[in-house]
Amino acid sequence: MSADAMTDVELARSIAEAAGRLLMDLRAAGDLADEALGAEGDRAANALILERLAEARPDDAVLSEESADSPDRLNRSRVWIIDPLDGTREYREGRDDWAVHIALAIDGKPAIGAVALPALGRVLDSAEVPPAPPPANPPRMLVSRSRPGADAMAVAEALGAELVPMGSAGAKAMAVVRGEADIYLHSGGQYEWDNCAPAAVALAAGLHASRIDGSPLRYNRADPMLPDLLICAPDLARIILPMIETGMARAPAEQGDPAA
């Protein structure tokens, strides 16, 4: 099927798969390592994604972590929001907890999403994702590998949750979708490309996805910073959001890992 004949979600999935294969091949070649591998992975995956989108959806705007932003996107209803390599550190370290994010925001809402987990051979998208399984008891809370956020730690302590260290934002969100964990709460600062595709997939799986004050996730804003996120089962959200509102689990947005 030609790219321009695909539905939006088919296109998102196809591009995520292709970028994931490119990144896996680049890493397997062994020609680059460390920062050089991460930089080339970001560059090459971004170039592939932009080329595919320009060919298939030339009238749509794009917001990418790896490209210069254009204010023209603010006048568009349809904006592709992409992270060509979410979890560059994990990628260059040879780990499997990194991802490729391809999302389409329509009128600011996370309408379409595909998240590739290339090292696991998986792609989850907003059309075919199965319903997320019920949470475990006690729940499992995803935290940064290196700098767990104060909000997440406070909520985890209050819930008696088991801590699950993991790498990239996409890997964490998809761990909740796949039933490997139950709560992804991040308040250390993110950008739209860090969570648009994961949020679209999570919402399609019947999960709660919002800001940590409970407000909806909105995209294609002039400032692409979107500093906090909660993904979990709706029942857990009804418990966690009041905890944060009462101030028992608040931390400055600038603390923590900006992309985890």
Side-chain angles (χ1 to χ4, degrees):
M1 182 187 300
S2 64
D4 58 354
M6 292 180 179
T7 66
D8 289 330
V9 72
E10 288 171 341
L11 179 64
R13 183 183 183 94
S14 173
I15 293 175
E17 288 175 335
R21 286 194 300 269
L22 180 153
L23 288 164
M24 290 295 290
D25 290 345
L26 180 64
R27 191 167 73 173
D31 298 326
L32 299 170
D34 301 326
E35 286 80 3
L37 175 61
E40 179 58 15
D42 279 325
R43 186 206 65 77
N46 190 58
L48 181 152
I49 294 166
L50 293 181
E51 180 181 356
R52 298 286 181 93
L53 287 174
E55 176 186 355
R57 300 292 189 272
D59 296 328
D60 293 351
V62 179
L63 172 64
S64 170
E65 180 180 16
E66 301 301 326
S67 298
D69 193 9
S70 169
D72 178 63
R73 66 179 172 81
L74 300 176
N75 301 316
R76 306 287 189 92
S77 171
R78 292 168 51 90
V79 180
W80 293 88
I81 300 178
I82 65 173
D83 190 341
L85 174 49
D86 177 61
T88 305
R89 181 179 62 179
E90 286 74 22
Y91 170 72
R92 71 188 191 215
E93 289 178 355
R95 294 175 57 91
D96 59 15
D97 48 347
W98 52 278
V100 176
H101 298 177
I102 309 293
L104 175 63
I106 300 178
D107 296 329
K109 297 179 180 180
I112 299 292
V115 177
L117 304 171
L120 300 179
R122 295 288 304 275
V123 180
L124 294 94
D125 67 56
S126 54
E128 298 183 0
V129 62
N137 186 16
R140 298 156 295 177
M141 168 80 79
L142 291 152
V143 293
S144 170
R145 291 170 53 208
S146 57
R147 290 177 290 176
D151 289 341
M153 295 300 291
V155 169
E157 182 177 1
L159 294 175
E162 173 190 349
L163 299 181
V164 182
M166 192 172 289
S168 78
K172 289 188 183 76
M174 294 307 97
V176 179
V177 172
R178 298 170 65 201
E180 296 179 342
D182 305 301
I183 305 165
Y184 176 30
L185 190 162
H186 181 82
S187 60
Q190 288 186 348
Y191 291 88
E192 293 186 9
W193 47 76
D194 292 312
N195 54 51
C196 189
V201 176
L203 289 166
L207 292 166
H208 171 95
S210 74
R211 301 286 302 274
I212 64 171
D213 63 0
S215 61
L217 296 162
R218 300 293 294 178
Y219 295 92
N220 194 33
R221 294 183 178 272
D223 181 355
M225 190 168 193
L226 206 167
D228 51 69
L229 173 72
L230 173 63
I231 294 177
C232 62
D235 287 348
L236 282 172
R238 286 189 281 271
I239 298 171
I240 294 168
L241 290 172
M243 290 181 179
I244 298 170
E245 184 179 5
T246 59
M248 64 150 288
R250 294 297 305 122
E254 66 269 15
Q255 293 181 358
D257 186 343

